[in-house]
Amino acid sequence: MVPSVLIVDDEKHTREGLQQALQENYDVTVAANADEAFNLMDAQEFEVILTDLRMPGKSGLKVIDKALALPNRPAVIMMTAYGSIDSAVEAMKRGAVDFLTKPVQIERLEILIQRALKTKTLEVEVKQLHERLDEKFNVGAIVGHSPRLAEVIERVKLVAPSKATILIEGETGTGKELIAQAIHQASPRARAAFVPVHCAALPATLLESELFGHERGAFTGATERREGRFELADGGTVFLDEIGEIGPEIQVKLLRFLETKSFERVGGTKTLNVDVRLVAATNRNLEQMVKEGKFREDLYFRLNVVRITTPALRERAEDIPVLLEHFIKVYAKENAYEPVQVETGAMRHLQAYPWPGNIRELRNFAENAVVLRRGGKMTEFDLEPKFRGEAAPPPSMVTPTPANPLSVEENEKRLLREALMKARGNRTRAATLLGISRRTLHRKIAQWPELDVVDRG
């Protein structure tokens, strides 16, 4: 795409001459004064603005101010026949990227334009990178508005600027790593590394090397020296997930590191010092493990300087609609499908479901819904039986005999309910399945209101 350039100069000969010189390589627009330039800047975007300093009415300094107040700021180059140090300094203070004196040398001008375009591109890339990092790691990435979640976020904001070691407790799938990332991103260490270690996934022999590194020949297969996670995270944060799974030997070394911020690589003798913040997480009761002798008490107290407990999803059911909408949008975009719309009846069941797998289970549910349904609406009749509080789906219209075979009423109610569910709430279709009239079905529903569902027919 050809870069766009706006030339602002009250001298007709100058602006048209510059336009003619640049138009082969750039999309050039001209303005005779500052007000005309303002209107053009409001109407379209320019990547570079070349403006005269002294013009009737508003000066070129006002053009700089206007340009740099735009959402997508162009690069501004100032030119004047009254070249002086003071003029140049003032233009640069206002935000101009460079300064030229008249008569303008075209070769020099093209060099400045190319330099300005490169600078602008770099600024955009850096901004986009920071936005991606922030989107991925900051507190804003934690979706929800429930009081329980608000307490966690407030605690994150309080502890993030400190150097304190933090212990995050909570069930599996409650977002402990996301909280750890938010703490790191909101801390002074945000531009350094965030290094996660999933302790349960590594045997003790490998975990020690992963954390502290090893020297060449330290053990069979150690063919070269390797830096550990603590070295790699120097200046940043190490996140130890499932810390309750680490063995006694690693507990001792971790305790020493927390006390001294120093360690030796496996097979090494040189003591290394690093500046690392430790955030640990567990789904186990470390206090109970201490009582049972499975976890060192002194290490527990070192880890538990600040404790954050992530609530289970069933404890923040009011967040389920917004979380589900968020995940559906993510997976719909990822797969280029239309988002699924979850109707009120279905959402009511989903909010009542206990979600033993927490947010991870909800995320999987959303992906499943997006991929299999590819848009449309999801009603309560589309949910699996477990989400409706049922043990298993009925295999057919033939119903197992209830515990009391003489309970005709119980059999009848069960058949009515199954027919309504199979007909997706359409009473006419349900009556046909049962071989009765719609009027009879209405009378039965009036008799047993608990069977009533929304009529979709």
Side-chain angles (χ1 to χ4, degrees), residues 12-25:
K12 185 174 185 292
H13 176 75
T14 301
R15 66 175 179 270
E16 290 181 354
L18 289 171
Q19 181 181 27
Q20 187 175 359
L22 297 175
Q23 63 186 4
E24 186 177 341
N25 298 316

Side-chain angles (χ1 to χ4, degrees), residues 117-155:
L117 288 170
K118 287 181 181 178
T119 301
K120 187 174 185 300
T121 300
L122 181 60
E123 287 176 352
V124 170
E125 289 176 350
V126 170
K127 181 182 177 185
Q128 289 175 344
L129 176 60
H130 287 173
E131 285 174 352
R132 287 198 298 270
L133 287 170
D134 291 343
E135 182 181 347
K136 186 175 181 181
F137 295 128
N138 75 358
V139 176
I142 303 172
V143 178
H145 49 67
S146 63
R148 289 294 308 276
L149 184 62
E151 290 176 12
V152 171
I153 293 174
E154 187 59 34
R155 202 162 178 82

Side-chain angles (χ1 to χ4, degrees), residues 3 42 78 80 86 113 147 160 176 202 301 407 410 418 425 452:
D42 288 335
M78 181 64 72
T80 181
D86 290 343
I113 290 175
K176 295 188 289 295
L202 295 167
F301 287 128
S407 176
E410 193 64 36
E418 288 176 4
D452 196 15

Side-chain angles (χ1 to χ4, degrees), residues 51-62:
T51 180
D52 193 12
L53 175 60
R54 297 180 183 246
M55 296 182 290
K58 299 182 180 71
S59 73
L61 296 176
K62 294 296 184 183

Side-chain angles (χ1 to χ4, degrees), residues 199-216:
C199 301
L202 295 167
T205 51
L206 290 180
L207 181 58
E208 183 179 4
S209 173
E210 281 294 318
L211 293 178
F212 305 109
H214 63 253
E215 297 290 348
R216 180 179 178 182

Side-chain angles (χ1 to χ4, degrees), residues 304-377:
N304 193 25
V305 176
V306 176
R307 183 188 303 192
I308 296 176
T309 302
T310 54
L313 190 54
R314 63 182 175 276
E315 297 171 350
R316 42 181 291 217
E318 59 266 57
D319 285 336
I320 290 174
V322 67
L323 277 165
L324 191 54
E325 181 184 8
H326 169 74
F327 289 134
I328 285 174
K329 284 181 179 177
V330 168
Y331 289 118
K333 183 178 180 181
E334 185 177 293
N335 293 282
Y337 293 154
E338 287 296 314
V340 177
Q341 297 177 20
V342 182
E343 293 199 340
T344 305
M347 189 63 76
R348 197 162 45 240
H349 283 292
L350 294 174
Q351 285 185 277
Y353 178 67
W355 298 101
N358 291 294
I359 297 172
R360 190 173 295 140
E361 184 182 1
L362 181 67
R363 187 176 62 225
N364 292 343
F365 170 84
E367 184 175 15
N368 178 280
V370 168
V371 171
L372 296 183
R373 300 190 64 80
R374 304 191 181 189
K377 296 182 178 180

Side-chain angles (χ1 to χ4, degrees), residues 49-50 62 67 80 93 99 112 118 187 278 280 328 381 392 428:
I49 294 178
L50 178 64
K62 294 296 184 183
T80 181
K93 280 183 178 178
F99 189 90
L112 294 185
K118 287 181 181 178
S187 76
L278 185 65
I328 285 174
F381 308 105
T428 301

